[in-house]
Amino acid sequence: MDERSIREIIREELKKLKGMTWGQRLGYIWDYYKPLMAAILAVILVISIGVSIYRNMQINHLLNVYFVNCNSTELDAQAITDDFAEYIGGIGAKDEILLDTSTILDAEDTSQYSMASQMKFTAVVAAGDVDVAIFDSEQYEKYRDGYGLEDLSKVLSEEQLSRWEDAIAYGKDEETGKEIPVALDVQKASLMEQSNAYNGEKVYAVVMVNSSHTDMSARFLEYLMQ
C-alpha cells in the first residue's frame, strides 16, 4: 500500500467520523479497531506478566511473616522489617523480607474482605509462603489441632528451647501423638507490649510446617524473644 492510498483511507475515515456523534464515533472506532486493540492488550498483558516473573526471579525472598488478626495501627511493618534486617546484620539489595499485618481470619465474618483474606491466607500457607505466623489464641488452637505447625525442636537449638522453656506451647505430633513444642508465647515480648498489637491478649509465634525458610524463621523467633 503506497502513501497516497494510506492518505485516501485516512481521509475517508475522517469523513465518516465527521458526521457522527461522539458516542457513535467511539462505537465505530471500537468495532473497527477491536481486533487490533485486543491484540495490543494481549501484548501488554504478556509483557506485564513477564516483567513480574522477571522481577520475582531477581528477588531473594528471605522470610515471610504474617501477623494474623493484628488490631493495632501502631505496629509499623516497615519499621519492624528494617529493624530485623539490622538485627541479622543487614540484607542485600535484592533480598526481601515480607511482613504482613493485614490478614484477618474470622469464621463468623462473612464480609467480602474477610472471605478474601481467609482465602488468600489459605493459599499462601498451602504454597509454603508463610514462614512465621503470629496467631491470637483462637487461630493458634485451630492450627495446632490441624497439625499445621512445625516441631520447634527441628527449628530451634537445645539452648534456645531451654532458655525459652516457660514460653513454649505444646501440641501433638501427627504421626506419634507425642507432645512436641509448636509455639512460643510472645504475649510479653517487647514488640507486642510496645505496639499493643493484640490488646495484651495471648499471642503465639509459630513456624508453619511447610516453611521455606526455617533458618531465618529461627532468627525471627530469636528477634521476638530478645
Side-chain angles (χ1 to χ4, degrees):
M1 185 179 292
D2 58 23
E3 290 186 6
R4 183 179 178 183
S5 59
I6 292 175
R7 285 198 295 268
E8 288 176 351
I9 291 173
I10 293 174
R11 197 176 294 116
E12 290 175 4
E13 292 299 317
L14 289 175
K15 285 181 179 178
K16 292 179 184 178
L17 293 172
K18 189 175 181 180
M20 298 179 184
T21 63
W22 276 107
Q24 290 172 330
R25 290 175 185 176
L26 291 173
Y28 177 78
I29 292 172
W30 171 247
D31 289 336
Y32 193 83
Y33 294 104
K34 184 160 49 178
L36 177 59
M37 290 180 178
I40 292 173
L41 288 174
V43 171
I44 292 173
L45 180 60
V46 169
I47 292 173
S48 298
I49 293 173
V51 170
S52 178
I53 292 173
Y54 176 78
R55 288 183 62 188
N56 285 333
M57 288 175 65
Q58 304 306 305
I59 294 173
N60 178 31
H61 295 278
L62 297 179
L63 183 69
N64 298 314
V65 181
Y66 282 73
F67 281 70
V68 177
N69 291 345
C70 171
N71 50 24
S72 172
T73 57
E74 297 177 28
L75 193 67
D76 187 334
Q78 188 59 55
I80 297 171
T81 300
D82 293 342
D83 192 44
F84 177 64
E86 183 178 349
Y87 178 79
I88 61 176
I91 62 176
K94 295 183 179 180
D95 294 333
E96 181 176 84
I97 298 169
L98 169 69
L99 199 150
D100 178 281
T101 61
S102 64
T103 299
I104 302 297
L105 302 181
D106 184 353
E108 296 182 0
D109 185 354
T110 58
S111 67
Q112 187 174 358
Y113 176 82
S114 178
M115 296 298 291
S117 183
Q118 292 181 57
M119 290 175 65
K120 176 187 174 183
F121 188 71
T122 300
V124 292
V125 168
D129 289 337
V130 179
D131 298 306
V132 176
I134 311 300
F135 285 141
D136 56 11
S137 296
E138 183 179 354
Q139 293 305 317
Y140 165 67
E141 294 292 338
K142 288 181 179 179
Y143 275 87
R144 184 194 66 179
D145 294 341
Y147 304 105
L149 311 182
E150 180 63 282
D151 180 348
L152 292 185
S153 65
K154 298 178 181 179
V155 178
L156 302 174
S157 67
E158 290 185 8
E159 186 276 330
Q160 287 172 321
L161 291 170
S162 176
R163 191 190 339 152
W164 301 326
E165 183 178 3
D166 292 341
I168 293 175
Y170 291 84
K172 289 185 177 181
D173 183 275
E174 184 177 4
E175 296 181 359
T176 66
K178 293 182 179 180
E179 281 199 336
I180 56 173
V182 295
L184 292 175
D185 180 348
V186 292
Q187 180 183 12
K188 298 299 182 181
S190 59
L191 176 63
M192 300 302 171
E193 291 192 328
Q194 291 171 11
S195 65
N196 195 29
Y198 289 84
N199 294 329
E201 298 177 0
K202 279 282 187 181
V203 58
Y204 299 88
V206 305
V207 177
M208 304 308 293
V209 72
N210 59 347
S211 164
S212 303
H213 310 99
T214 52
D215 289 344
M216 195 60 69
S217 296
R219 297 297 305 275
F220 192 78
L221 294 183
E222 183 182 73
Y223 167 75
L224 283 177
M225 296 297 289
Q226 64 178 320

